[in-house]
């Protein structure tokens, strides 16, 4: 069976992003089921309706990549109990023009990591609400990862067995749902 196309969006523009590390580990863990690609969002201009008549190329690239995917995996930090501005900016660009949202009917899975005890739970809830409002098909999962140094090695492997099994289960579920929609 052909692999499912998974577009991964990391909601951070930080060079040493721990969410990018988690995303890279998920891309590796999911290699059996998915052909993964990373969606760049840090070069998008700040959304402004005035730019819409002549949309900048990175915003068109974003829509093409979302639309080509069988499923989207968003790995997001939490900023002040909400999603980071860089992620909201990308979501807004891909939701336009009105009536032609790239998110509609897309299978969207959500996770994220932070050093805090309730790592990204509030941001993920907000993100699920936004994606539901945009008519995405949100995978129902609760994957809040409390980041610890050494959790991922230099080859993007998950070092801890329990976390490995937990994340594998999450991806298996995403593959099951995305596979059904792709069929
Ligand atoms: C403006 C700002 C607000 C933050 N707010 C939260 C928060 O609400 N909850 C949380 O768990 N961590 C919060 N943090 C800490 C982030 O979890 C931490 O910076 C993390 O490394 C961000 O993920 P990244 O490395 O992938 O960018 C915040 C960080 C910043 C810069």
């Amino acid at each position: 069976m052909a692999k499912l196309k998974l577009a991964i969006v990391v909601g951070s523009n930080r060079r040493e992003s721990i969410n990018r590390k988690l995303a890279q580990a998920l891309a590796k863990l999911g290699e059996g089921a998915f052909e993964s690609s990373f969606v760049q969002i840090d070069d998008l201009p700040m959304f402004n309706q005035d730019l819409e008549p002549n949309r900048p190329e990175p915003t068109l690239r974003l829509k093409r990549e979302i639309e080509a995917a069988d499923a989207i995996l968003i790995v997001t930090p939490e900023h002040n109990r909400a999603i980071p501005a860089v992620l909201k900016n990308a979501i807004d660009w891909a939701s336009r023009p009105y009536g032609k949202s790239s998110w509609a009917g897309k299978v969207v899975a959500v996770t994220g990591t932070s050093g805090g005890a309730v790592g990204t739970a509030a941001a993920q809830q907000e993100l699920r609400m936004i994606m539901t409002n945009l008519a995405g098909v949100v995978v129902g999962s609760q994957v809040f990862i409390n980041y610890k140094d050494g959790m991922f090695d230099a080859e993007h492997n998950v070092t801890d067995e329990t976390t490995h099994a937990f994340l594998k289960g999450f991806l298996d579920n995403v593959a099951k749902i995305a596979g059904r929609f792709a069929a």
Side-chain angles (χ1 to χ4, degrees):
M1 206 181 97
K3 291 188 184 180
L4 296 158
K5 289 197 189 80
L6 183 70
I8 302 178
V9 180
V10 178
S12 172
N13 51 5
R14 195 166 82 87
R15 223 174 302 122
E16 293 299 320
S17 165
I18 58 176
N19 282 277
R20 181 162 295 274
K21 290 189 198 344
L22 172 59
Q24 286 166 329
L26 287 166
K28 185 155 193 186
L29 252 184
E31 274 173 353
F34 298 108
E35 183 191 311
S36 296
S37 59
F38 282 79
V39 177
Q40 186 177 359
I41 62 170
D42 65 357
D43 63 342
L44 301 171
M46 179 61 73
F47 181 80
N48 181 340
Q49 268 193 281
D50 293 340
L51 298 177
E52 286 203 283
N54 194 9
R55 297 171 61 102
E57 169 51 29
T59 74
L60 301 174
R61 181 201 65 217
L62 172 73
K63 283 182 75 69
R64 283 196 300 272
E65 291 180 5
I66 299 296
E67 286 166 21
D70 294 309
I72 317 295
L73 173 62
I74 303 180
V75 186
T76 188
E78 183 169 271
H79 279 183
N80 299 317
R81 299 282 176 246
I83 60 170
V86 70
L87 176 58
K88 183 60 164 54
N89 188 47
I91 292 170
D92 289 347
W93 271 116
S95 74
R96 302 288 294 177
Y98 182 73
K100 293 200 172 145
S101 168
S102 303
W103 303 109
K106 282 286 162 193
V107 172
V108 180
V110 171
T111 185
T113 187
S114 87
V118 290
T120 71
Q124 289 191 43
Q125 279 308 104
E126 184 194 31
L127 183 52
R128 285 192 186 89
M129 186 189 70
I130 293 167
M131 281 299 151
T132 304
N133 288 337
L134 289 171
V137 179
V138 179
V139 174
S141 51
Q142 304 282 322
V143 184
F144 313 130
I145 304 299
N146 191 355
Y147 185 80
K148 303 248 178 350
D149 280 341
M151 186 171 242
F152 311 112
D153 69 18
E155 282 76 46
H156 312 307
N157 298 300
V158 182
T159 54
D160 171 66
E161 232 171 79
T162 309
T163 308
H164 182 282
F166 180 63
L167 291 176
K168 182 76 174 58
F170 167 55
L171 287 174
D172 287 348
N173 195 39
V174 177
K176 200 187 294 175
I177 293 167
R180 285 182 188 154
F181 275 84

